[in-house]
Amino acid sequence: MPEAPLSSAPLFEGLSAADVAAILAAAHRRRYGRADFVCHQGDPVDAVYMVAGGRVRLTQLEVDGQEVVIRFIGPGDIFGAVAAFKVTQFPVSGEVVEASEVLAWDRATMVSLIERHPRLGQNLMAILSGRIQEMRERIGDLQTQRVERRIARALLRLAQQAGQRTATGILINLPLSRQDLAEMTGTTLYTVSRVLSQWEADGIVKPGRERVEILRPHALVTIAEDLPSP
Amino acid sequence: MAQEITGKAVVADIVGRWPQTIPVFIRHRMACVGCSLAAFGTLEEATRVYGLDLADFVNELDNVIQGINVDLQEGLI
């Protein structure tokens, strides 16, 4: 398996070729076939793993039994990085989707490598920081979705009470300001404006002056009820 | 009775007048039952949104209303 690309992996940034070679030499190497598991959710995290070749899919089993794909790990990418810092369990399972070679540094080895090559520890932290940043963005997306659902539900309630069929959709036939909508949904005027503008661009609603027309009722229901798109 | 239903019929009217049609919507995984906008949407619009054939769907509703289709349980959990 060619190792040239591995030396440019984020984990090895700023390290000399000799250091990288020493770090790679300290790893255990294991080959996996397609559909093999590198780790199982709930197992103790015993090592920092790097995919040298191939591809591993990290999945998480939700409480309802649904399997969610968290990310794909390709050559040079690592997982289990937290093993270097904390005794914990795998929050994910790693399933090989393309025959893979995986490098593993057990905790003691990684800790002593970090002591010898402080840059390695810095790189690990940079990688973990990136993952935290990603998670923060995902949480932000979820919050946005929640606000969108609240606004969609408010419009549905209003349409049910004061909706009027038009040639193009359903007009909510009452004076309704964006501030009213913000108050109904416990959010800000700014957020309501941003969401309505997005929906207008998507052709879902047509906000007018103190009037809102729903142009694609089903799209709004899909947002409000978190339904899969038909 | 069958000829009363057309694509212009409003979903809420159909479901309200003939509750036995509810399983037909559910079987097609349509979210129309209980939807706050069901009073505004026609069968034509609903089938378009879900990519169903209007004539087939109306036919299914007709059958249920006339008590022809007794195989409804199949679509229910």
Side-chain angles (χ1 to χ4, degrees):
Chain A
M1 193 102 17
E3 277 181 8
L6 284 191
S7 56
S8 60
L11 183 62
F12 301 137
E13 210 177 291
L15 288 160
S16 71
D19 288 347
V20 172
I23 294 165
L24 285 173
H28 293 283
R29 290 168 177 269
R30 197 174 291 173
R31 286 175 187 276
Y32 294 89
R34 200 179 131 80
D36 284 348
F37 278 85
V38 180
C39 60
H40 290 277
Q41 186 174 341
D43 284 354
V45 184
D46 51 354
V48 177
Y49 295 89
M50 174 182 276
V51 172
R55 200 161 298 274
V56 174
R57 179 173 61 189
L58 300 185
T59 58
Q60 195 162 42
L61 213 53
E62 305 281 288
V63 275
D64 61 1
Q66 180 116 16
E67 193 185 68
V68 178
V69 175
I70 303 296
R71 66 165 67 236
F72 284 87
I73 302 282
D77 291 337
I78 64 169
F79 61 101
V82 75
F85 305 104
K86 191 176 186 288
V87 178
T88 185
Q89 294 174 327
F90 270 111
V92 292
S93 293
E95 187 187 358
V96 173
V97 286
E98 279 170 28
S100 297
E101 185 177 17
V102 176
L103 308 180
W105 294 271
D106 60 59
R107 184 193 321 282
T109 304
M110 185 49 89
V111 168
S112 82
L113 283 171
I114 291 170
E115 280 165 4
R116 242 175 297 153
H117 310 281
R119 183 62 204 252
L120 184 62
Q122 222 174 305
N123 291 343
L124 264 177
M125 279 189 267
I127 291 166
L128 286 174
S129 303
R131 302 266 162 99
I132 290 171
Q133 177 69 28
E134 229 173 78
M135 290 301 152
R136 198 180 293 136
E137 280 165 18
R138 282 196 200 181
I139 291 170
D141 288 347
L142 288 175
Q143 277 168 342
T144 304
Q145 275 175 27
R146 283 178 53 192
V147 171
E148 285 181 2
R149 285 186 66 180
R150 290 209 300 269
I151 297 171
R153 289 167 111 130
L155 289 178
L156 293 186
R157 284 202 303 274
L158 291 165
Q160 196 176 15
Q161 283 173 347
Q164 209 170 60
R165 192 68 219 239
T166 65
T168 44
I170 303 164
L171 176 70
I172 297 174
N173 197 20
L174 47 83
L176 178 72
S177 70
R178 292 178 183 210
Q179 185 60 42
D180 294 334
L181 264 181
E183 278 162 23
M184 278 184 80
T185 53
T187 183
T188 61
L189 180 62
Y190 168 79
T191 302
V192 167
S193 291
R194 185 174 52 76
V195 170
L196 287 184
S197 299
Q198 181 58 51
W199 289 350
E200 185 178 15
D202 295 339
I204 296 171
V205 298
K206 189 171 142 201
R209 192 179 157 70
E210 301 226 318
R211 284 277 189 286
V212 175
E213 187 179 358
I214 302 169
L215 301 180
R216 289 172 54 207
H218 186 74
L220 199 63
V221 172
T222 301
I223 295 167
E225 304 291 338
D226 197 18
L227 297 173
S229 304
Chain B
M1 194 187 284
Q3 62 271 29
E4 286 186 46
I5 296 186
T6 69
K8 302 282 177 219
V10 172
V11 173
D13 293 344
I14 299 289
V15 171
R17 186 165 170 195
W18 295 289
Q20 66 267 40
T21 59
I22 289 173
V24 177
F25 289 89
I26 294 173
R27 194 166 49 191
H28 286 288
R29 300 182 189 284
M30 299 164 88
C32 301
V33 179
C35 174
S36 38
L37 300 186
F40 300 98
T42 62
L43 292 177
E44 196 177 6
E45 289 164 330
T47 50
R48 194 183 329 123
V49 159
Y50 285 95
L52 300 172
D53 184 84
L54 175 65
D56 288 351
F57 189 73
V58 167
N59 196 32
E60 270 186 74
L61 295 177
D62 274 340
N63 287 343
V64 171
I65 289 165
Q66 291 173 67
I68 292 172
N69 190 346
V70 290
D71 196 23
L72 275 179
Q73 292 304 318
E74 188 194 329
L76 293 172
I77 298 165

